[in-house]
Amino acid sequence: MSVALSGLTVTSRAADIVSSNISNAMTDGYGVRQVSVTGQNLGNGGSGARVLGVLRIEDAALIGHRRRAEAEFAFGTTQGQHLNRLEGAIGIPDTPASLAARSAAFEAALTAAAASPHNQVRLAGAVDAAVALAGTINGISDGIQAQRLAADGAIARGIERFNGALGELATLNTRIRRDGGGATDVSGLLDAQARLVNDIAALVPLESRRDASGALQLYSADGEALLDGRAAVLGFSPVAVMTAESTLADGALSGLTLNGRALALDGPTAALAGGELAALFLQRDAWGPAAQRDIDAIARDLAARLDAAGIDPTRAAGQPGLFTDAGAVPDAATETGLAARLRVNAAVLPDQGGAHWRLRDGLGAAVPGPGGAAGLLQAQRDALAALRPTASGSFSATNRSFAGLVADHLSGVGMARQSAETRQSHAAARLDVLRNEELAQGVNTDSEMLQLLRIEKIFAANARVITAAQEMIDQLIRMGR
C-alpha cells in the first residue's frame, strides 16, 4: 500500500505538471516543466517513488540569440520609421506640397512673371510660390525637430520601463534565493523573470546567466552590469522643447547615466548599443541633426542664389535678398536652424508693408518701374537654374541647379530608407527563424497529451493496488469474525 500511495502521489504531481504545460502552451516566457522522480526505500515495506523536484526546460543560448535579434530588429524599425517620416516630410515630386513640386512651381512662376512682367496677378503668383517654398522648407525642419522631441520622450518612457523591470527582476531574485534551495517549485518565478526580460529585450541587447542560487544576472552586450546582486538604475531627463540648436554637447539635452555614472553614447564603444534605446538616441543626436544640416544647406543655397551680387542692383549692401534668415541676411556662421527661420523678404509682401512689384523692380526700389522690365525676374530664374556647388550639408561638391539639389536630397533620403528597410527585412527574417526554433522547443501538446494518458494508466494501476489491498484487509477482518 505504501508503494502504491507513493505512486499515486507522483502521478498526481505529474498530471498537474502536464496540465500546466498544456494550458500554458501559448504563454510568453513559459518554460516547459518536467517532473524529476527518484526511487525511495520504504524499509520493510519495499520500494517506492517520490518527486525529487520540477525541472524547467529551456534553451538559454537560443533564447539569448532571439532576444538579441529582437534588439537588432527594434533598432532597424526605429531607423526605418525615422527615414520614412523624413521622406514623407520632403514629399515625392508628384505631390503638390512636396519640396520638389514647390521648387518647380516657384521657378515656373518666375518664368511666367518674366513673360508678362506688367501682370500683377503673375507677380503675386510668383511671390505666393516663394512663400509656399519657404513654408515647405520650414515644415521639413519642424518635422525633423518633432521627430527628435518624440525620440527624447520615447527614451524617457523606455528607461522608465527598463528600470521598473530591473526592479521587479531583483525582487524575484530575492524570492528565488529564499525558495530555490527547498522543496518549493520556483518555476513560476522563473517564468515571471523570463516575461520581464522579454519585455525589455528590444530596448537593449542583453546577456543573461544565473548564479549558484538560481538568481538572474543581466549584462548589456558591452559589459555593463544591469542586474548583478542589485538592480542598476538608468538616469535620463526629457525636455519639453526641441530646436535645431538643441544638442547633447552643449548641455541642452540629457545624456544617459548608469547608477549616476555618465555613459558614452557615441564612438566605437557606445554604451548599450544595438537596440531600440540606442536607435532613439541616434535619432535625437545624430540622424535628426544630420537631416537638419541638409535642409539648412538647401535653405542657404536657395537664399544665396538670389542674394548673389549683380542680380538686384537696388538692394543695398548688407541687405537680404528675396529669402531671409528671419529678416536678416543668411550667414554661414548661424546656418544651424536656418530652414526653420527662412522667410520671404517683407519688401514683396503686401501684408507686411511691401509690394509685389518689387519682385520685378528690385527689393530696394522706392517706386514701381516700367511694367515691361523683366530683367530681374529673368535673373532670379537663371540663378535657380545655374550650376553651382553646394556649400554645406552632406552633399557632394558636384555643380547642380537648385532643382538638382532638391532632387539629390530626396534621392539620398530614399536610398538611405531603402537600405534601412533591407537591413530591417534581414533582421526580421532572422528573428522569425529564432522564434520558430524556440517555439519548436516549447510545449508539444501532442506529446503532453500522450504523456497524460500514460499518467492516467499508472494512476489507475496504483489505485487498483490500493483497492485490492483494501479488499484483502476487509476479507481478513470478516474471516476473523
Side-chain angles (χ1 to χ4, degrees), residues 303-320:
R305 287 174 181 272
L306 302 183
D307 278 352
I311 291 182
D312 182 1
T314 69
R315 183 166 57 90
Q319 294 300 308

Side-chain angles (χ1 to χ4, degrees), residues 76-345:
T77 299
T78 302
Q79 184 180 29
Q81 290 173 345
H82 160 74
L83 291 168
N84 265 306
R85 294 190 187 103
L86 179 59
E87 190 176 31
I90 298 168
I92 57 177
D94 58 356
T95 303
S98 69
L99 180 58
R102 295 295 195 197
S103 171
F106 177 51
E107 194 168 346
L110 285 176
T111 300
S116 300
H118 63 280
N119 191 321
Q120 293 298 315
V121 173
R122 291 192 177 183
L123 288 175
V127 171
D128 290 344
V131 171
L133 176 56
T136 295
I137 293 174
N138 298 158
I140 294 171
S141 177
D142 292 344
I144 292 169
Q145 299 314 312
Q147 282 201 63
R148 294 182 67 206
L149 182 60
D152 191 79
I155 291 169
R157 293 189 296 274
I159 289 176
E160 182 180 5
R161 179 159 58 97
F162 198 86
N163 285 336
L166 290 181
E168 292 183 50
L169 288 167
T171 300
L172 290 170
N173 272 346
T174 301
R175 296 178 59 188
I176 290 170
R177 290 191 186 98
R178 182 189 65 200
D179 300 337
T184 305
D185 179 13
V186 297
S187 297
L189 302 178
L190 301 181
D191 286 346
Q193 285 193 323
R195 287 191 292 271
L196 286 168
V197 177
N198 286 342
D199 184 53
I200 61 175
L203 290 170
V204 176
L206 298 172
E207 302 287 345
S208 66
R209 63 171 182 256
R210 294 193 180 275
D211 61 20
S213 68
L216 179 68
Q217 298 174 325
L218 283 181
Y219 300 87
S220 67
D222 58 311
E224 296 287 353
L226 302 173
L227 180 65
D228 187 359
R230 63 177 184 175
V233 177
L234 293 177
F236 178 80
S237 299
V239 298
V241 178
M242 185 74 66
T243 67
E245 293 79 10
S246 302
T247 66
L248 178 63
D250 66 10
L253 301 178
S254 171
L256 185 63
T257 63
L258 179 66
N259 295 329
R261 172 173 57 88
L263 297 177
L265 300 176
D266 55 6
T269 57
L272 311 185
E276 182 182 353
L277 196 60
L280 290 169
F281 271 110
L282 284 171
Q283 180 176 345
R284 191 196 69 172
D285 299 330
W287 302 335
Q292 184 67 48
R293 285 192 293 272
D294 283 347
I295 195 62
D296 286 341
I298 290 174
R300 179 183 170 190
D301 183 86
L302 174 62
R305 287 174 181 272
L306 302 183
D307 278 352
I311 291 182
D312 182 1
T314 69
R315 183 166 57 90
Q319 294 300 308
L322 183 60
F323 291 97
T324 75
D325 182 351
V329 177
D331 186 352
T334 57
E335 184 176 327
T336 301
L338 173 61
R341 303 187 303 268
L342 191 69
R343 301 290 186 271
V344 173
N345 198 312

Side-chain angles (χ1 to χ4, degrees), residues 18-33 66 191 195 198 435-436 438-446 448:
V18 171
S19 299
S20 176
N21 286 340
I22 294 172
S23 62
N24 288 281
M26 301 302 294
T27 301
D28 178 48
Y30 182 81
V32 181
R33 271 68 153 168
R66 188 262 300 163
D191 286 346
R195 287 191 292 271
N198 286 342
R435 280 176 174 166
N436 289 335
E438 189 176 355
L439 287 173
Q441 295 186 10
V443 177
N444 185 327
T445 52
D446 291 338
E448 296 292 333

Side-chain angles (χ1 to χ4, degrees), residues 347-389:
V348 299
L349 301 174
D351 60 346
Q352 297 185 30
H356 294 147
W357 52 262
R358 286 198 176 90
L359 184 65
R360 175 194 66 200
D361 299 323
L363 298 174
V367 295
L376 178 55
L377 294 169
Q378 292 171 346
Q380 292 178 97
R381 179 198 60 196
D382 293 343
L384 293 174
L387 302 180
R388 50 174 286 171

